[in-house]
Amino acid sequence: MSDNKGDLNLSDLAASLPAATSALSAEDREGLVNALKNKLQGLAGQHVDVLENLTPKVRKRVEFLREIQTQHDELEAKFFEERAALEAKYQKLYEPLYTKRYEIVNGLVEVEGVVKGGTDETPAEDKTTEDVKGVPNFWLTAMKTNEVLAEEIQERDEGALQYLKDIKWCRMDSPKGFKLEFFFDENPYFKNTVLTKTYHMIDEDEPILEKAIGTEIEWFPGKCLTQKILKKKPKKGSKNTKPITKTENCESFFNFFSPPQVPDDEEEIDEDTAEQLQNQMEQDYDIGSTIRDKIIPHAVSWFTGEAAQGEEFEAIEEDDEDDEDDEDEEDEEEEDEDEDEDEDDGEDEKEKSKIRKKKSGVAPKGGEGKQVERPAECQQQ
């Protein structure tokens, strides 16, 4: 084992590095990590060492544990490195499959067994749809089936999302993060053919988001889906007889490309604003990671609804486990209540005994009483 008693957790240290350092070479980055590490160790030496408050035997054990932790951190660093290489390897293997999916969805190629132009077996009522190419509304349907994305897609968004041809993602190394690309056919809503969303991560292994950047959408006049125009009639007696128009922001999936921004001067943010901003950024990252990790690799399953059913089944299992836990807690509470009731019943029985004694003319202990003759039916009982 090495004798680095002051080693710090390298994964924690990496998470504290600014995103800009990912643009450095591996050698420079290692040097920067070591410099920061030495500085932090120097600062740590200014404070009371926890080990000094331990007995010699316990201190020796903790020092040994720190050596084990160092070995763990070294293995963890190798794991992250190998995992990134493995993901990159399989991402290349996925690409041909994604290409085939794109070609079929958009009608660029036909699958075996489907004859172009229809056949004699086509029902008469389907003649109008026999020339439909590809799989219409493929991505719109896939996204709407996902619970997270369904909340973001408004009815007025669907017209534009019908022109969505493909969604891709790629990993970024400088700066660290990932990029989503949405490819659109020519449409009457905006000029862009590609809309992008980029996530800059402080630490990619532990998803700590630094900021997100989206494409500025070039809307055609009157087609902006992220704003709505309100018309208000002028007040009675007003000289202006024309309706007053007002533009305000509205809910839309396309707000995804205008993510919340962190102000440069964080000191200007109060606590409530900071918490609200953090919640917005977490929600924005949740949408982006859902598209990257669920929609893109399993789009067909989301289109058919199989993926949604799988998630519902998992949710039911989780609910069942939660219900079992709740039932166990309720059983424990009921047992406690039964014990309390037994105690109360004992007290009640004592009170009833006193009442019976009073009714039968038996005086409480230490008191005077008179025997009262009971009716015959009471005596038979």
Side-chain angles (χ1 to χ4, degrees), residues 298-333:
H298 308 293
V300 178
S301 298
W302 286 104
F303 177 83
T304 60
E306 294 167 296
Q309 292 175 0
E311 288 204 345
E312 288 175 3
F313 181 75
E314 291 177 1
I316 291 172
E317 285 188 328
E318 290 177 0
D319 290 341
D320 289 342
E321 291 177 0
D322 293 339
D323 290 341
E324 289 177 2
D325 294 338
D326 293 340
E327 287 176 3
D328 292 340
E329 292 178 1
E330 289 175 1
D331 291 340
E332 292 176 1
E333 291 176 359

PDB file of all heavy atoms in Angstrom, residues 298-333:
ATOM      1  N   HIS A 298     -34.849   3.687 -27.948  1.00  0.00           N
ATOM      2  CA  HIS A 298     -36.008   2.791 -27.919  1.00  0.00           C
ATOM      3  C   HIS A 298     -37.238   3.429 -28.561  1.00  0.00           C
ATOM      4  O   HIS A 298     -38.369   3.193 -28.127  1.00  0.00           O
ATOM      5  CB  HIS A 298     -36.321   2.397 -26.475  1.00  0.00           C
ATOM      6  CG  HIS A 298     -35.152   1.852 -25.722  1.00  0.00           C
ATOM      7  ND1 HIS A 298     -34.561   0.648 -26.033  1.00  0.00           N
ATOM      8  CD2 HIS A 298     -34.428   2.363 -24.685  1.00  0.00           C
ATOM      9  CE1 HIS A 298     -33.536   0.430 -25.214  1.00  0.00           C
ATOM     10  NE2 HIS A 298     -33.433   1.455 -24.400  1.00  0.00           N
ATOM     11  N   ALA A 299     -37.020   4.223 -29.608  1.00  0.00           N
ATOM     12  CA  ALA A 299     -38.114   4.981 -30.227  1.00  0.00           C
ATOM     13  C   ALA A 299     -39.242   4.092 -30.724  1.00  0.00           C
ATOM     14  O   ALA A 299     -40.424   4.435 -30.595  1.00  0.00           O
ATOM     15  CB  ALA A 299     -37.566   5.836 -31.381  1.00  0.00           C
ATOM     16  N   VAL A 300     -38.908   2.944 -31.310  1.00  0.00           N
ATOM     17  CA  VAL A 300     -39.937   2.039 -31.848  1.00  0.00           C
ATOM     18  C   VAL A 300     -40.833   1.529 -30.724  1.00  0.00           C
ATOM     19  O   VAL A 300     -42.062   1.468 -30.866  1.00  0.00           O
ATOM     20  CB  VAL A 300     -39.294   0.859 -32.600  1.00  0.00           C
ATOM     21  CG1 VAL A 300     -40.361  -0.104 -33.101  1.00  0.00           C
ATOM     22  CG2 VAL A 300     -38.463   1.363 -33.770  1.00  0.00           C
ATOM     23  N   SER A 301     -40.235   1.177 -29.597  1.00  0.00           N
ATOM     24  CA  SER A 301     -41.015   0.671 -28.466  1.00  0.00           C
ATOM     25  C   SER A 301     -41.914   1.749 -27.874  1.00  0.00           C
ATOM     26  O   SER A 301     -43.011   1.451 -27.385  1.00  0.00           O
ATOM     27  CB  SER A 301     -40.074   0.113 -27.382  1.00  0.00           C
ATOM     28  OG  SER A 301     -39.336  -0.975 -27.877  1.00  0.00           O
ATOM     29  N   TRP A 302     -41.455   3.005 -27.929  1.00  0.00           N
ATOM     30  CA  TRP A 302     -42.316   4.098 -27.463  1.00  0.00           C
ATOM     31  C   TRP A 302     -43.430   4.364 -28.471  1.00  0.00           C
ATOM     32  O   TRP A 302     -44.564   4.673 -28.086  1.00  0.00           O
ATOM     33  CB  TRP A 302     -41.490   5.369 -27.222  1.00  0.00           C
ATOM     34  CG  TRP A 302     -40.651   5.291 -25.991  1.00  0.00           C
ATOM     35  CD1 TRP A 302     -39.310   5.086 -25.910  1.00  0.00           C
ATOM     36  CD2 TRP A 302     -41.116   5.370 -24.644  1.00  0.00           C
ATOM     37  NE1 TRP A 302     -38.904   5.037 -24.616  1.00  0.00           N
ATOM     38  CE2 TRP A 302     -39.985   5.219 -23.805  1.00  0.00           C
ATOM     39  CE3 TRP A 302     -42.361   5.564 -24.062  1.00  0.00           C
ATOM     40  CZ2 TRP A 302     -40.088   5.242 -22.409  1.00  0.00           C
ATOM     41  CZ3 TRP A 302     -42.467   5.586 -22.678  1.00  0.00           C
ATOM     42  CH2 TRP A 302     -41.338   5.434 -21.869  1.00  0.00           C
ATOM     43  N   PHE A 303     -43.129   4.226 -29.760  1.00  0.00           N
ATOM     44  CA  PHE A 303     -44.147   4.431 -30.786  1.00  0.00           C
ATOM     45  C   PHE A 303     -45.273   3.397 -30.645  1.00  0.00           C
ATOM     46  O   PHE A 303     -46.461   3.725 -30.744  1.00  0.00           O
ATOM     47  CB  PHE A 303     -43.522   4.333 -32.185  1.00  0.00           C
ATOM     48  CG  PHE A 303     -44.508   4.461 -33.304  1.00  0.00           C
ATOM     49  CD1 PHE A 303     -44.916   5.711 -33.756  1.00  0.00           C
ATOM     50  CD2 PHE A 303     -45.041   3.336 -33.914  1.00  0.00           C
ATOM     51  CE1 PHE A 303     -45.840   5.842 -34.787  1.00  0.00           C
ATOM     52  CE2 PHE A 303     -45.960   3.451 -34.943  1.00  0.00           C
ATOM     53  CZ  PHE A 303     -46.360   4.698 -35.390  1.00  0.00           C
ATOM     54  N   THR A 304     -44.917   2.145 -30.405  1.00  0.00           N
ATOM     55  CA  THR A 304     -45.933   1.086 -30.280  1.00  0.00           C
ATOM     56  C   THR A 304     -46.598   1.079 -28.911  1.00  0.00           C
ATOM     57  O   THR A 304     -47.645   0.454 -28.729  1.00  0.00           O
ATOM     58  CB  THR A 304     -45.301  -0.294 -30.516  1.00  0.00           C
ATOM     59  OG1 THR A 304     -44.269  -0.523 -29.530  1.00  0.00           O
ATOM     60  CG2 THR A 304     -44.696  -0.381 -31.903  1.00  0.00           C
ATOM     61  N   GLY A 305     -45.998   1.766 -27.926  1.00  0.00           N
ATOM     62  CA  GLY A 305     -46.561   1.798 -26.578  1.00  0.00           C
ATOM     63  C   GLY A 305     -46.008   0.729 -25.659  1.00  0.00           C
ATOM     64  O   GLY A 305     -46.330   0.715 -24.468  1.00  0.00           O
ATOM     65  N   GLU A 306     -45.157  -0.144 -26.179  1.00  0.00           N
ATOM     66  CA  GLU A 306     -44.604  -1.221 -25.358  1.00  0.00           C
ATOM     67  C   GLU A 306     -43.721  -0.681 -24.238  1.00  0.00           C
ATOM     68  O   GLU A 306     -43.746  -1.192 -23.115  1.00  0.00           O
ATOM     69  CB  GLU A 306     -43.800  -2.188 -26.232  1.00  0.00           C
ATOM     70  CG  GLU A 306     -44.630  -2.945 -27.246  1.00  0.00           C
ATOM     71  CD  GLU A 306     -43.784  -3.646 -28.296  1.00  0.00           C
ATOM     72  OE1 GLU A 306     -43.094  -2.943 -29.072  1.00  0.00           O
ATOM     73  OE2 GLU A 306     -43.822  -4.888 -28.334  1.00  0.00           O
ATOM     74  N   ALA A 307     -42.946   0.351 -24.528  1.00  0.00           N
ATOM     75  CA  ALA A 307     -42.060   0.931 -23.511  1.00  0.00           C
ATOM     76  C   ALA A 307     -42.871   1.547 -22.383  1.00  0.00           C
ATOM     77  O   ALA A 307     -42.521   1.422 -21.204  1.00  0.00           O
ATOM     78  CB  ALA A 307     -41.139   1.976 -24.145  1.00  0.00           C
ATOM     79  N   ALA A 308     -43.963   2.222 -22.736  1.00  0.00           N
ATOM     80  CA  ALA A 308     -44.819   2.844 -21.721  1.00  0.00           C
ATOM     81  C   ALA A 308     -45.443   1.790 -20.823  1.00  0.00           C
ATOM     82  O   ALA A 308     -45.534   1.963 -19.600  1.00  0.00           O
ATOM     83  CB  ALA A 308     -45.902   3.687 -22.387  1.00  0.00           C
ATOM     84  N   GLN A 309     -45.873   0.667 -21.426  1.00  0.00           N
ATOM     85  CA  GLN A 309     -46.452  -0.414 -20.644  1.00  0.00           C
ATOM     86  C   GLN A 309     -45.421  -1.005 -19.688  1.00  0.00           C
ATOM     87  O   GLN A 309     -45.737  -1.344 -18.552  1.00  0.00           O
ATOM     88  CB  GLN A 309     -46.991  -1.502 -21.574  1.00  0.00           C
ATOM     89  CG  GLN A 309     -48.212  -1.063 -22.387  1.00  0.00           C
ATOM     90  CD  GLN A 309     -48.647  -2.122 -23.393  1.00  0.00           C
ATOM     91  OE1 GLN A 309     -48.044  -3.183 -23.493  1.00  0.00           O
ATOM     92  NE2 GLN A 309     -49.688  -1.809 -24.145  1.00  0.00           N
ATOM     93  N   GLY A 310     -44.172  -1.107 -20.174  1.00  0.00           N
ATOM     94  CA  GLY A 310     -43.106  -1.608 -19.316  1.00  0.00           C
ATOM     95  C   GLY A 310     -42.879  -0.705 -18.122  1.00  0.00           C
ATOM     96  O   GLY A 310     -42.711  -1.177 -16.990  1.00  0.00           O
ATOM     97  N   GLU A 311     -42.890   0.605 -18.345  1.00  0.00           N
ATOM     98  CA  GLU A 311     -42.692   1.543 -17.245  1.00  0.00           C
ATOM     99  C   GLU A 311     -43.869   1.518 -16.288  1.00  0.00           C
ATOM    100  O   GLU A 311     -43.716   1.654 -15.079  1.00  0.00           O
ATOM    101  CB  GLU A 311     -42.481   2.963 -17.790  1.00  0.00           C
ATOM    102  CG  GLU A 311     -41.131   3.157 -18.450  1.00  0.00           C
ATOM    103  CD  GLU A 311     -40.694   4.607 -18.459  1.00  0.00           C
ATOM    104  OE1 GLU A 311     -41.547   5.475 -18.218  1.00  0.00           O
ATOM    105  OE2 GLU A 311     -39.502   4.845 -18.704  1.00  0.00           O
ATOM    106  N   GLU A 312     -45.098   1.355 -16.836  1.00  0.00           N
ATOM    107  CA  GLU A 312     -46.276   1.262 -15.983  1.00  0.00           C
ATOM    108  C   GLU A 312     -46.188   0.024 -15.094  1.00  0.00           C
ATOM    109  O   GLU A 312     -46.531   0.057 -13.914  1.00  0.00           O
ATOM    110  CB  GLU A 312     -47.547   1.201 -16.840  1.00  0.00           C
ATOM    111  CG  GLU A 312     -47.897   2.527 -17.507  1.00  0.00           C
ATOM    112  CD  GLU A 312     -49.096   2.404 -18.436  1.00  0.00           C
ATOM    113  OE1 GLU A 312     -49.669   1.285 -18.496  1.00  0.00           O
ATOM    114  OE2 GLU A 312     -49.468   3.399 -19.074  1.00  0.00           O
ATOM    115  N   PHE A 313     -45.708  -1.084 -15.676  1.00  0.00           N
ATOM    116  CA  PHE A 313     -45.561  -2.317 -14.898  1.00  0.00           C
ATOM    117  C   PHE A 313     -44.551  -2.119 -13.772  1.00  0.00           C
ATOM    118  O   PHE A 313     -44.777  -2.536 -12.631  1.00  0.00           O
ATOM    119  CB  PHE A 313     -45.122  -3.456 -15.813  1.00  0.00           C
ATOM    120  CG  PHE A 313     -44.965  -4.773 -15.107  1.00  0.00           C
ATOM    121  CD1 PHE A 313     -46.072  -5.515 -14.734  1.00  0.00           C
ATOM    122  CD2 PHE A 313     -43.703  -5.278 -14.812  1.00  0.00           C
ATOM    123  CE1 PHE A 313     -45.932  -6.731 -14.075  1.00  0.00           C
ATOM    124  CE2 PHE A 313     -43.554  -6.481 -14.156  1.00  0.00           C
ATOM    125  CZ  PHE A 313     -44.673  -7.222 -13.785  1.00  0.00           C
ATOM    126  N   GLU A 314     -43.424  -1.468 -14.091  1.00  0.00           N
ATOM    127  CA  GLU A 314     -42.418  -1.200 -13.067  1.00  0.00           C
ATOM    128  C   GLU A 314     -42.981  -0.287 -11.989  1.00  0.00           C
ATOM    129  O   GLU A 314     -42.714  -0.475 -10.801  1.00  0.00           O
ATOM    130  CB  GLU A 314     -41.181  -0.558 -13.701  1.00  0.00           C
ATOM    131  CG  GLU A 314     -40.399  -1.503 -14.608  1.00  0.00           C
ATOM    132  CD  GLU A 314     -39.222  -0.815 -15.272  1.00  0.00           C
ATOM    133  OE1 GLU A 314     -39.023   0.378 -14.995  1.00  0.00           O
ATOM    134  OE2 GLU A 314     -38.513  -1.463 -16.057  1.00  0.00           O
ATOM    135  N   ALA A 315     -43.789   0.712 -12.416  1.00  0.00           N
ATOM    136  CA  ALA A 315     -44.391   1.629 -11.448  1.00  0.00           C
ATOM    137  C   ALA A 315     -45.356   0.894 -10.530  1.00  0.00           C
ATOM    138  O   ALA A 315     -45.419   1.154  -9.328  1.00  0.00           O
ATOM    139  CB  ALA A 315     -45.113   2.760 -12.182  1.00  0.00           C
ATOM    140  N   ILE A 316     -46.127  -0.063 -11.108  1.00  0.00           N
ATOM    141  CA  ILE A 316     -47.072  -0.843 -10.304  1.00  0.00           C
ATOM    142  C   ILE A 316     -46.315  -1.683  -9.274  1.00  0.00           C
ATOM    143  O   ILE A 316     -46.717  -1.779  -8.112  1.00  0.00           O
ATOM    144  CB  ILE A 316     -47.926  -1.757 -11.212  1.00  0.00           C
ATOM    145  CG1 ILE A 316     -48.887  -0.902 -12.055  1.00  0.00           C
ATOM    146  CG2 ILE A 316     -48.706  -2.766 -10.383  1.00  0.00           C
ATOM    147  CD1 ILE A 316     -49.640  -1.691 -13.107  1.00  0.00           C
ATOM    148  N   GLU A 317     -45.192  -2.291  -9.719  1.00  0.00           N
ATOM    149  CA  GLU A 317     -44.391  -3.094  -8.792  1.00  0.00           C
ATOM    150  C   GLU A 317     -43.855  -2.232  -7.662  1.00  0.00           C
ATOM    151  O   GLU A 317     -43.869  -2.632  -6.500  1.00  0.00           O
ATOM    152  CB  GLU A 317     -43.232  -3.758  -9.542  1.00  0.00           C
ATOM    153  CG  GLU A 317     -43.652  -4.942 -10.405  1.00  0.00           C
ATOM    154  CD  GLU A 317     -42.461  -5.675 -10.973  1.00  0.00           C
ATOM    155  OE1 GLU A 317     -41.438  -5.017 -11.235  1.00  0.00           O
ATOM    156  OE2 GLU A 317     -42.546  -6.901 -11.134  1.00  0.00           O
ATOM    157  N   GLU A 318     -43.390  -1.019  -8.007  1.00  0.00           N
ATOM    158  CA  GLU A 318     -42.887  -0.114  -6.981  1.00  0.00           C
ATOM    159  C   GLU A 318     -44.003   0.288  -6.034  1.00  0.00           C
ATOM    160  O   GLU A 318     -43.811   0.362  -4.818  1.00  0.00           O
ATOM    161  CB  GLU A 318     -42.263   1.126  -7.636  1.00  0.00           C
ATOM    162  CG  GLU A 318     -40.960   0.831  -8.369  1.00  0.00           C
ATOM    163  CD  GLU A 318     -40.411   2.060  -9.061  1.00  0.00           C
ATOM    164  OE1 GLU A 318     -41.049   3.128  -8.955  1.00  0.00           O
ATOM    165  OE2 GLU A 318     -39.344   1.963  -9.699  1.00  0.00           O
ATOM    166  N   ASP A 319     -45.204   0.548  -6.590  1.00  0.00           N
ATOM    167  CA  ASP A 319     -46.346   0.916  -5.755  1.00  0.00           C
ATOM    168  C   ASP A 319     -46.718  -0.230  -4.823  1.00  0.00           C
ATOM    169  O   ASP A 319     -47.057  -0.012  -3.662  1.00  0.00           O
ATOM    170  CB  ASP A 319     -47.549   1.299  -6.623  1.00  0.00           C
ATOM    171  CG  ASP A 319     -47.340   2.616  -7.354  1.00  0.00           C
ATOM    172  OD1 ASP A 319     -46.459   3.377  -6.920  1.00  0.00           O
ATOM    173  OD2 ASP A 319     -48.044   2.864  -8.351  1.00  0.00           O
ATOM    174  N   ASP A 320     -46.652  -1.474  -5.361  1.00  0.00           N
ATOM    175  CA  ASP A 320     -46.966  -2.637  -4.534  1.00  0.00           C
ATOM    176  C   ASP A 320     -45.988  -2.753  -3.370  1.00  0.00           C
ATOM    177  O   ASP A 320     -46.382  -3.051  -2.237  1.00  0.00           O
ATOM    178  CB  ASP A 320     -46.923  -3.920  -5.374  1.00  0.00           C
ATOM    179  CG  ASP A 320     -48.098  -4.009  -6.346  1.00  0.00           C
ATOM    180  OD1 ASP A 320     -49.086  -3.280  -6.126  1.00  0.00           O
ATOM    181  OD2 ASP A 320     -48.013  -4.792  -7.320  1.00  0.00           O
ATOM    182  N   GLU A 321     -44.695  -2.512  -3.663  1.00  0.00           N
ATOM    183  CA  GLU A 321     -43.694  -2.567  -2.604  1.00  0.00           C
ATOM    184  C   GLU A 321     -43.955  -1.479  -1.573  1.00  0.00           C
ATOM    185  O   GLU A 321     -43.863  -1.709  -0.365  1.00  0.00           O
ATOM    186  CB  GLU A 321     -42.289  -2.406  -3.201  1.00  0.00           C
ATOM    187  CG  GLU A 321     -41.853  -3.595  -4.046  1.00  0.00           C
ATOM    188  CD  GLU A 321     -40.501  -3.378  -4.685  1.00  0.00           C
ATOM    189  OE1 GLU A 321     -39.922  -2.286  -4.464  1.00  0.00           O
ATOM    190  OE2 GLU A 321     -40.019  -4.268  -5.408  1.00  0.00           O
ATOM    191  N   ASP A 322     -44.314  -0.271  -2.073  1.00  0.00           N
ATOM    192  CA  ASP A 322     -44.625   0.822  -1.159  1.00  0.00           C
ATOM    193  C   ASP A 322     -45.851   0.486  -0.327  1.00  0.00           C
ATOM    194  O   ASP A 322     -45.911   0.785   0.875  1.00  0.00           O
ATOM    195  CB  ASP A 322     -44.854   2.129  -1.934  1.00  0.00           C
ATOM    196  CG  ASP A 322     -43.590   2.628  -2.602  1.00  0.00           C
ATOM    197  OD1 ASP A 322     -42.501   2.216  -2.153  1.00  0.00           O
ATOM    198  OD2 ASP A 322     -43.685   3.411  -3.568  1.00  0.00           O
ATOM    199  N   ASP A 323     -46.871  -0.147  -0.989  1.00  0.00           N
ATOM    200  CA  ASP A 323     -48.092  -0.515  -0.271  1.00  0.00           C
ATOM    201  C   ASP A 323     -47.788  -1.538   0.813  1.00  0.00           C
ATOM    202  O   ASP A 323     -48.347  -1.480   1.911  1.00  0.00           O
ATOM    203  CB  ASP A 323     -49.135  -1.083  -1.247  1.00  0.00           C
ATOM    204  CG  ASP A 323     -49.696  -0.018  -2.179  1.00  0.00           C
ATOM    205  OD1 ASP A 323     -49.558   1.169  -1.842  1.00  0.00           O
ATOM    206  OD2 ASP A 323     -50.249  -0.375  -3.241  1.00  0.00           O
ATOM    207  N   GLU A 324     -46.882  -2.508   0.494  1.00  0.00           N
ATOM    208  CA  GLU A 324     -46.505  -3.502   1.490  1.00  0.00           C
ATOM    209  C   GLU A 324     -45.832  -2.839   2.679  1.00  0.00           C
ATOM    210  O   GLU A 324     -46.100  -3.192   3.830  1.00  0.00           O
ATOM    211  CB  GLU A 324     -45.570  -4.538   0.867  1.00  0.00           C
ATOM    212  CG  GLU A 324     -46.271  -5.470  -0.122  1.00  0.00           C
ATOM    213  CD  GLU A 324     -45.309  -6.444  -0.774  1.00  0.00           C
ATOM    214  OE1 GLU A 324     -44.123  -6.399  -0.403  1.00  0.00           O
ATOM    215  OE2 GLU A 324     -45.735  -7.232  -1.632  1.00  0.00           O
ATOM    216  N   ASP A 325     -44.954  -1.864   2.379  1.00  0.00           N
ATOM    217  CA  ASP A 325     -44.296  -1.140   3.463  1.00  0.00           C
ATOM    218  C   ASP A 325     -45.318  -0.380   4.288  1.00  0.00           C
ATOM    219  O   ASP A 325     -45.248  -0.358   5.527  1.00  0.00           O
ATOM    220  CB  ASP A 325     -43.243  -0.176   2.903  1.00  0.00           C
ATOM    221  CG  ASP A 325     -42.090  -0.911   2.242  1.00  0.00           C
ATOM    222  OD1 ASP A 325     -41.898  -2.089   2.570  1.00  0.00           O
ATOM    223  OD2 ASP A 325     -41.401  -0.298   1.395  1.00  0.00           O
ATOM    224  N   ASP A 326     -46.286   0.260   3.583  1.00  0.00           N
ATOM    225  CA  ASP A 326     -47.327   1.008   4.288  1.00  0.00           C
ATOM    226  C   ASP A 326     -48.178   0.076   5.140  1.00  0.00           C
ATOM    227  O   ASP A 326     -48.558   0.417   6.266  1.00  0.00           O
ATOM    228  CB  ASP A 326     -48.220   1.755   3.287  1.00  0.00           C
ATOM    229  CG  ASP A 326     -47.471   2.865   2.566  1.00  0.00           C
ATOM    230  OD1 ASP A 326     -46.428   3.288   3.106  1.00  0.00           O
ATOM    231  OD2 ASP A 326     -47.918   3.286   1.478  1.00  0.00           O
ATOM    232  N   GLU A 327     -48.477  -1.136   4.560  1.00  0.00           N
ATOM    233  CA  GLU A 327     -49.283  -2.098   5.321  1.00  0.00           C
ATOM    234  C   GLU A 327     -48.551  -2.560   6.567  1.00  0.00           C
ATOM    235  O   GLU A 327     -49.151  -2.721   7.631  1.00  0.00           O
ATOM    236  CB  GLU A 327     -49.616  -3.304   4.434  1.00  0.00           C
ATOM    237  CG  GLU A 327     -50.660  -2.994   3.357  1.00  0.00           C
ATOM    238  CD  GLU A 327     -50.887  -4.178   2.432  1.00  0.00           C
ATOM    239  OE1 GLU A 327     -50.265  -5.237   2.681  1.00  0.00           O
ATOM    240  OE2 GLU A 327     -51.692  -4.049   1.493  1.00  0.00           O
ATOM    241  N   ASP A 328     -47.237  -2.780   6.436  1.00  0.00           N
ATOM    242  CA  ASP A 328     -46.444  -3.168   7.603  1.00  0.00           C
ATOM    243  C   ASP A 328     -46.489  -2.088   8.666  1.00  0.00           C
ATOM    244  O   ASP A 328     -46.633  -2.377   9.864  1.00  0.00           O
ATOM    245  CB  ASP A 328     -44.986  -3.442   7.196  1.00  0.00           C
ATOM    246  CG  ASP A 328     -44.872  -4.685   6.313  1.00  0.00           C
ATOM    247  OD1 ASP A 328     -45.806  -5.506   6.351  1.00  0.00           O
ATOM    248  OD2 ASP A 328     -43.861  -4.806   5.594  1.00  0.00           O
ATOM    249  N   GLU A 329     -46.366  -0.828   8.216  1.00  0.00           N
ATOM    250  CA  GLU A 329     -46.425   0.283   9.163  1.00  0.00           C
ATOM    251  C   GLU A 329     -47.797   0.366   9.802  1.00  0.00           C
ATOM    252  O   GLU A 329     -47.920   0.610  11.009  1.00  0.00           O
ATOM    253  CB  GLU A 329     -46.080   1.597   8.446  1.00  0.00           C
ATOM    254  CG  GLU A 329     -44.629   1.682   7.995  1.00  0.00           C
ATOM    255  CD  GLU A 329     -44.342   2.971   7.255  1.00  0.00           C
ATOM    256  OE1 GLU A 329     -45.274   3.792   7.123  1.00  0.00           O
ATOM    257  OE2 GLU A 329     -43.192   3.162   6.809  1.00  0.00           O
ATOM    258  N   GLU A 330     -48.865   0.157   8.969  1.00  0.00           N
ATOM    259  CA  GLU A 330     -50.214   0.203   9.508  1.00  0.00           C
ATOM    260  C   GLU A 330     -50.441  -0.926  10.509  1.00  0.00           C
ATOM    261  O   GLU A 330     -51.088  -0.732  11.543  1.00  0.00           O
ATOM    262  CB  GLU A 330     -51.227   0.095   8.364  1.00  0.00           C
ATOM    263  CG  GLU A 330     -51.288   1.347   7.492  1.00  0.00           C
ATOM    264  CD  GLU A 330     -52.219   1.169   6.303  1.00  0.00           C
ATOM    265  OE1 GLU A 330     -52.816   0.081   6.182  1.00  0.00           O
ATOM    266  OE2 GLU A 330     -52.353   2.118   5.513  1.00  0.00           O
ATOM    267  N   ASP A 331     -49.885  -2.133  10.203  1.00  0.00           N
ATOM    268  CA  ASP A 331     -50.031  -3.254  11.125  1.00  0.00           C
ATOM    269  C   ASP A 331     -49.367  -2.942  12.455  1.00  0.00           C
ATOM    270  O   ASP A 331     -49.907  -3.251  13.529  1.00  0.00           O
ATOM    271  CB  ASP A 331     -49.409  -4.525  10.531  1.00  0.00           C
ATOM    272  CG  ASP A 331     -50.219  -5.051   9.337  1.00  0.00           C
ATOM    273  OD1 ASP A 331     -51.402  -4.667   9.236  1.00  0.00           O
ATOM    274  OD2 ASP A 331     -49.658  -5.825   8.525  1.00  0.00           O
ATOM    275  N   GLU A 332     -48.170  -2.319  12.374  1.00  0.00           N
ATOM    276  CA  GLU A 332     -47.479  -1.955  13.605  1.00  0.00           C
ATOM    277  C   GLU A 332     -48.285  -0.929  14.390  1.00  0.00           C
ATOM    278  O   GLU A 332     -48.395  -1.005  15.611  1.00  0.00           O
ATOM    279  CB  GLU A 332     -46.092  -1.396  13.280  1.00  0.00           C
ATOM    280  CG  GLU A 332     -45.132  -2.444  12.724  1.00  0.00           C
ATOM    281  CD  GLU A 332     -43.804  -1.838  12.331  1.00  0.00           C
ATOM    282  OE1 GLU A 332     -43.644  -0.610  12.509  1.00  0.00           O
ATOM    283  OE2 GLU A 332     -42.921  -2.581  11.855  1.00  0.00           O
ATOM    284  N   GLU A 333     -48.868   0.053  13.652  1.00  0.00           N
ATOM    285  CA  GLU A 333     -49.677   1.059  14.316  1.00  0.00           C
ATOM    286  C   GLU A 333     -50.912   0.432  14.950  1.00  0.00           C
ATOM    287  O   GLU A 333     -51.314   0.789  16.056  1.00  0.00           O
ATOM    288  CB  GLU A 333     -50.093   2.141  13.314  1.00  0.00           C
ATOM    289  CG  GLU A 333     -48.923   3.006  12.835  1.00  0.00           C
ATOM    290  CD  GLU A 333     -49.350   3.992  11.769  1.00  0.00           C
ATOM    291  OE1 GLU A 333     -50.538   3.977  11.392  1.00  0.00           O
ATOM    292  OE2 GLU A 333     -48.484   4.779  11.321  1.00  0.00           O
TER     293      GLU A 333
END
